Amino acid sequence: MRRGLPVVAFAALLAACGTDRPDPPCCAVPIEVALASAPHVLSVQEQATSVAGYRLFWLDIEQPLDHAAPGGPAFRQFASLLYRGPGRPVVLATNGYGASRLPGRSELAALLDASQLTVEHRFFGSSTPSPPDWSKLTIQQAAADHHRVVESLRPVLGGRWLSAGASKGGMTAVYHRRFYPADVDGTVAYVAPISTSTSDQAYVAFLQAVGTAGCRQALQDLQHALLARRAEVQPLFEASAGSGDGFTTFGPSKAYDYAVVELSFAFWQYGSGLPACAGVPAPDAGPAALFAFMDGTLGGAAGWIGDRSLAFFAGYYYQSATQLGGPAYPQDHLLDVLPGGVPADDVPEVYPPLGVQKTWDAAAMPDVAGWVSTSGQRLLFVYGENDPWSTRPFAPDAANDSFRFFVPAGNHGSIITLLPDPDRGSATAAVRRWAGLEAAAALSSGEVPAHDPRALLEGERGLSALR
């Protein structure tokens, strides 16, 4: 198995251009040759891309299953590189899930006119060890993956590096900085929460206060009707799964319960907020109307809690059950229509991977939160005011050249260019300064391109708990 040049030979290749960390990269060596020669790089393939001004490369990088035992089992981690050219900043897109093979530019890469290196998270997509040893899916091991990528490719690409991620990808960027704070020159974490348990009650309090009383009541009445009229609506739910998919992991009734319980969370996470309240159907609406609203709010019932989705996101559920935590959901208004009159056991411990021990690490998130609040340098957090995940934001220290902003009425698709002035200008100036670029005028909200809040960065899509 080819693993790039030995470190000594790779250093000699770079030295031939007059430096061991070129900026811009090697003058005489084509980028594809330099990438293929980097340590731990197993393969490089150039692919066609529709992103103007960029070249797209697919890379496979060898990673130890356990970074504490580098001579043991290894796996191939996929990464894509949208290469802008020599001398440009690099955005390390820390993807929290699987990575698209045909990536578009993230907001940060567009703001900086930067190259973009997107790394698929371990235990997702093709970057899954075989067999999977779930005990090696930790924030420490994933951070070490990203550190190895930076060590391998920063000498090739040169320039200033900023990491960025959305949702779980934003959390991943913060964890990487926690353990390797000097790897990049700054970090932008979009809509990245830090939960305190696998059933964090702060999310219940948020959902009981967001929006208006009338809107919250309409959603509660709808949830109640969906369960009270299960015999009419659940068949539509079950029939919505396409060929090869279904609701067998939990069984259709439990899957239906979970989807209904999480409906108000999804409404605020991905919806347009108060304007969408007018579209909540009345409890006595026809079953087709009730299900249509449910299906639309979830972005597709099967995509939310169907078998394929549950299998794809098994790594997320494992991490939520062991280190990341997740939300509790309001259920008191549903107890009279839930089976047995008790709350649904909708917690990550019962999600895939099934039959795998999941032990909660109570120290992991407090450690990260403490680092962000006291030591984290050049961190920028963007949240949405109406996004339930914003109720558990990180708290950076402004004295450490770090920032936190909220998009008014924003959802889980909140980004820098949706911030109001002067926050948008402050955020844009910070990331350009960290990237070593001159200040430039921030985009106005009218110039923000259309974007899907379910896909803020490539691969960040689907599912309620960061789903």
Side-chain angles (χ1 to χ4, degrees):
M1 183 179 291
R2 203 177 92 32
R3 302 181 182 180
L5 290 178
V7 173
V8 172
F10 181 62
L13 174 70
L14 297 185
C17 292
T19 176
D20 63 354
R21 185 166 153 180
D23 189 6
C26 288
C27 50
V29 179
I31 184 61
E32 59 269 28
V33 174
L35 289 170
S37 302
H40 316 303
V41 173
L42 300 174
S43 66
V44 176
Q45 302 176 54
E46 185 163 10
Q47 303 291 329
T49 178
S50 61
V51 183
Y54 284 78
R55 297 172 68 185
L56 172 62
F57 297 94
W58 290 353
L59 292 80
D60 279 318
I61 300 166
E62 185 179 55
Q63 295 284 8
L65 175 62
D66 182 358
H67 285 272
F75 68 98
R76 301 172 74 100
Q77 185 169 44
F78 172 79
S80 68
L81 173 66
L82 279 171
Y83 181 62
R84 185 71 177 94
R88 297 308 306 165
V90 176
V91 171
L92 173 64
T94 51
N95 200 300
Y97 303 107
S100 170
R101 270 47 181 173
L102 295 175
R105 282 200 308 180
S106 65
E107 180 197 50
L108 189 59
L111 286 174
L112 304 178
D113 194 27
S115 296
Q116 177 177 294
L117 177 64
T118 304
V119 181
E120 187 165 69
H121 200 287
R122 63 166 46 207
F123 285 70
F124 286 90
S126 66
S127 304
T128 301
S130 181
D133 179 351
W134 293 99
S135 70
K136 301 303 185 289
L137 178 52
T138 66
I139 62 172
Q140 294 88 346
Q141 295 282 0
D145 289 344
H146 290 98
H147 177 62
R148 186 173 167 103
V149 169
V150 171
E151 282 194 322
S152 176
L153 297 180
R154 188 159 186 172
V156 174
L157 299 175
R160 298 282 188 92
W161 281 45
L162 274 66
S163 59
S167 191
K168 184 173 178 288
M171 296 156 66
T172 302
V174 177
Y175 307 150
H176 172 215
R177 287 293 304 283
R178 162 64 186 95
F179 297 107
Y180 302 95
D183 268 5
V184 298
D185 302 291
T187 294
V188 178
Y190 300 90
V191 294
I194 183 160
S195 303
T196 62
S197 73
T198 62
S199 186
D200 192 330
Q201 294 295 317
Y203 297 100
V204 173
F206 179 93
L207 291 171
Q208 291 174 336
V210 65
T212 64
C215 187
R216 295 193 300 273
Q217 188 63 54
L219 288 168
Q220 289 188 358
D221 291 345
L222 171 65
Q223 289 175 291
H224 194 276
L226 286 167
L227 292 173
R229 299 172 59 188
R230 176 193 300 271
E232 301 172 72
V233 185
Q234 186 176 318
L236 303 177
F237 171 85
E238 295 181 40
S240 69
S243 176
D245 203 357
F247 302 100
T248 62
T249 303
F250 292 127
S253 292
K254 180 172 281 193
Y256 184 77
D257 291 343
Y258 288 178
V260 172
V261 164
E262 297 178 14
L263 190 63
S264 63
F265 196 104
F267 177 88
W268 295 106
Q269 180 178 358
Y270 290 125
S272 60
L274 291 176
C277 290
V280 179
D284 60 355
L290 295 180
F291 177 69
F293 183 85
M294 175 186 182
D295 196 49
T297 300
L298 298 177
W304 191 266
I305 201 162
D307 294 335
R308 282 180 179 172
S309 185
L310 293 175
F312 180 82
F313 287 96
Y316 163 70
Y317 300 123
Y318 179 86
Q319 289 190 277
S320 294
T322 56
Q323 290 186 309
L324 308 188
Y329 305 97
Q331 299 193 51
D332 287 351
H333 61 294
L334 303 175
L335 294 182
D336 64 318
V337 284
L338 281 168
V342 298
D345 58 341
D346 191 1
V347 291
E349 293 92 319
V350 305
Y351 278 69
L354 304 179
V356 173
Q357 182 177 354
K358 305 178 181 82
T359 302
W360 175 244
D361 177 0
M365 291 301 104
D367 172 74
V368 176
W371 177 82
V372 167
S373 297
T374 60
S375 304
Q377 301 279 336
R378 298 177 304 283
L379 303 170
L380 193 153
F381 296 90
V382 179
Y383 294 97
E385 180 186 28
N386 286 348
D387 179 15
W389 294 110
S390 70
T391 197
R392 281 299 190 196
F394 283 92
D397 186 348
N400 289 333
D401 195 16
S402 295
F403 306 85
R404 185 177 74 182
F405 300 110
F406 288 79
V407 174
N411 64 9
H412 206 53
S414 294
I415 54 178
I416 290 172
T417 42
L418 292 178
L419 290 168
D421 283 329
D423 292 347
R424 184 170 62 248
S426 297
T428 303
V431 297
R432 291 186 64 84
R433 173 165 44 81
W434 298 342
L437 302 175
E438 295 180 1
L443 294 176
S444 70
S445 58
E447 297 175 287
V448 178
H451 68 285
D452 178 2
R454 297 178 188 271
L456 209 154
L457 280 184
E458 295 299 326
E460 302 290 342
R461 54 177 62 88
L463 304 176
S464 148
L466 300 187
R467 342 188 252 195

